[in-house]
């Protein structure tokens, strides 16, 4: 089967969990339908928002299988398969290829500080294990951001794309200048969607699209039309939504609440994350309502 092009709005899927801490696959499938029906172009399961690092390998396999089944070949899927060690990552990479995703993506090994060649070896093991495109997920939370020099080394051994969540726009532009012509560099946060698209980026990943796919899709479409005046207006509103989703330390829990407010039973985060207080839930609802995000047209 021909693989889909990875571009546009790539939704970083939340993973619903039951009260017992098990993946809620029924709720996950509802979320997949919700975002696809509202126009997103791709899915990124088991990333940071999806709490991949909190799940066991077998849990991540079940989640990915549920996403692939629910998607039913409608949009592209980039499966995040990164873990803290190489063997589990390679296992997840092989599984992702087997179930039919379009590409896989991995953070560098995290928690410990690694030398550049150790990170190269890690990605080399992944690339040797599969035939589908391998992307890097560049995330400051790992403690191992990819330097421009390391980025070049990875492209030389076959890295095909990257989700750059460094939140460093200057670094993103550096990667653009260094990347091969066929390299797919995605902006890894909705915060910088507009400036990345102005510089001819192919798309961006976004956790916000779980709750508000309409505004992210509209931003992408407006940028694709090169209507940057209106795109700037949409980006500014998107940033206001982003601020609401950051009003308290439990950012992931707020994302779950935003999805619930859109009418999708999202379950709850996986422990040790706790549920939001009723007071904070009400605050989020009022802020979103005042911004017009809980009634049509959501823009």
């Amino acid at each position: 089967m021909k693989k889909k092009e990875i571009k546009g709005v790539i939704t970083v899927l939340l993973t619903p969990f039951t009260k017992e801490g098990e993946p809620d696959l029924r709720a996950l499938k509802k979320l997949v339908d919700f975002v696809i029906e509202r126009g997103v172009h791709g899915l990124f399961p088991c990333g940071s928002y999806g709490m991949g690092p909190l799940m066991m390998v077998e849990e991540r396999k079940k989640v990915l299988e549920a996403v692939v089944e629910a998607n039913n070949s409608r949009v592209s899927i980039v499966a995040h398969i990164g873990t803290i060690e190489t063997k589990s990552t390679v296992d997840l990479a092989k599984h992702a290829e087997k179930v039919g995703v379009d590409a896989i993506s991995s953070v560098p090994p995290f928690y410990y500080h690694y030398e550049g060649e150790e990170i190269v070896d890690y990605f080399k093991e992944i690339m040797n294990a599969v035939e589908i495109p391998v992307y890097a997920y560049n995330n400051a939370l790992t403690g191992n951001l990819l330097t421009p020099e390391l980025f070049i080394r990875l492209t030389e051994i076959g890295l095909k794309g990257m989700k750059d969540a460094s939140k460093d726009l200057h670094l993103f532009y550096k990667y653009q200048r260094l990347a091969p012509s066929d390299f797919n560099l995605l902006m890894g946060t909705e915060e910088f969607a507009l400036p990345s698209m102005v510089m001819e980026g192919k798309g961006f990943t976004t956790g916000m699209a779980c709750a508000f796919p309409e505004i992210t899709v509209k931003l992408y479409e407006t940028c694709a039309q090169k209507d940057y005046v209106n795109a700037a207006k949409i980006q500014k509103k998107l940033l206001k939504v982003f601020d609401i989703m950051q009003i308290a330390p439990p950012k992931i829990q707020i994302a779950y609440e935003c999805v619930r407010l859109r009418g999708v039973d999202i379950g709850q985060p996986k422990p040790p994350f706790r549920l939001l207080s009723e007071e904070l839930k009400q605050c989020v609802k009022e802020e979103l309502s005042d911004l017009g995000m809980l009634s049509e047209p959501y823009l």
Side-chain angles (χ1 to χ4, degrees):
M1 182 181 295
K2 184 178 179 180
K3 298 299 182 183
K4 291 181 172 59
E5 185 178 3
I6 298 163
K7 65 176 185 178
V9 177
I10 312 297
T11 304
V12 183
L13 285 171
L14 291 164
T15 305
F17 289 90
T18 66
K19 292 180 180 179
E20 293 73 32
E22 300 295 327
D24 187 340
L25 303 183
R26 182 178 298 179
L28 177 61
K29 291 177 181 179
K30 290 180 181 178
L31 179 60
V32 169
D33 284 339
F34 177 79
V35 297
I36 293 178
E37 289 167 2
R38 285 156 181 80
V40 305
H41 309 95
L43 307 173
F44 190 93
C46 295
S48 300
Y49 255 48
M51 289 182 285
L54 273 181
M55 286 189 276
M56 294 180 290
V57 167
E58 291 307 312
E59 288 178 320
R60 291 175 68 164
K61 289 180 179 180
K62 290 179 181 178
V63 166
L64 181 58
E65 288 167 7
V67 170
V68 171
E69 180 182 352
N71 178 48
N72 194 25
S73 300
R74 288 179 287 178
V75 300
S76 64
I77 298 178
V78 182
H80 177 245
I81 49 87
T83 74
I84 198 170
E85 53 87 28
T86 307
K87 185 176 180 180
S88 295
T89 301
V90 168
D91 183 18
L92 286 168
K94 291 178 178 179
H95 171 263
E97 181 176 48
K98 181 180 178 181
V99 299
V101 303
D102 299 283
I104 55 176
S105 179
S106 178
V107 289
F110 51 91
Y111 186 78
Y112 298 102
H113 177 72
Y114 294 96
E115 295 180 359
E117 287 305 309
E118 291 171 324
I119 294 175
V120 169
D121 288 344
Y122 172 85
F123 278 98
K124 190 179 295 183
E125 290 281 345
I126 301 171
M127 294 176 200
N128 288 340
V130 297
E131 296 182 3
I132 57 176
V134 175
Y135 285 40
Y137 176 9
N138 197 36
N139 191 325
L141 294 176
T142 65
N144 290 295
L145 272 181
L146 301 184
T147 64
E149 295 76 18
L150 186 52
F151 175 77
I152 292 172
R153 285 281 289 116
L154 291 175
T155 62
E156 288 174 343
I157 66 169
L159 192 72
K160 295 301 182 183
M162 184 166 75
K163 169 187 174 179
D164 178 33
S166 66
K167 297 195 175 185
D168 184 333
L169 198 54
H170 176 74
L171 186 58
F172 178 84
Y173 292 154
K174 182 81 168 181
Y175 294 140
Q176 275 192 323
R177 296 195 299 275
L178 295 172
S181 59
D182 62 346
F183 191 85
N184 190 8
L185 180 62
L186 301 169
M187 171 52 68
T189 170
E190 57 274 288
E191 293 173 272
F192 301 120
L194 173 56
S196 71
M197 293 291 293
V198 170
M199 293 293 282
E200 301 183 339
K202 289 187 176 180
F204 56 94
T205 66
T206 164
M208 185 186 295
C210 288
F212 306 109
E214 298 90 346
I215 191 171
T216 58
V217 170
K218 186 64 175 179
L219 177 58
Y220 173 77
E221 291 175 345
T222 307
C223 287
Q225 296 163 2
K226 300 188 184 304
D227 181 2
Y228 296 126
V229 172
N230 283 316
K233 294 177 182 178
I234 299 170
Q235 177 76 70
K236 288 176 182 177
K237 184 160 187 178
L238 183 151
L239 289 172
K240 291 179 182 178
V241 178
F242 188 86
D243 287 344
I244 293 171
M245 296 178 73
Q246 310 288 311
I247 60 177
K251 300 171 185 176
I252 286 182
Q253 293 97 311
I254 290 177
Y256 278 76
E257 182 63 14
C258 289
V259 175
R260 191 188 66 79
L261 288 169
R262 289 300 311 277
V264 181
D265 179 10
I266 192 66
Q268 60 189 60
K270 184 178 178 67
F273 285 111
R274 301 177 67 185
L275 298 178
L276 287 186
S277 67
E278 292 302 318
E279 180 181 9
L280 192 50
K281 286 182 181 180
Q282 186 61 31
C283 178
V284 170
K285 182 178 181 179
E286 290 174 359
E287 293 279 350
L288 290 172
S289 182
D290 289 345
L291 194 57
M293 295 304 296
L294 298 181
S295 58
E296 293 187 19
Y298 312 111
L299 298 175

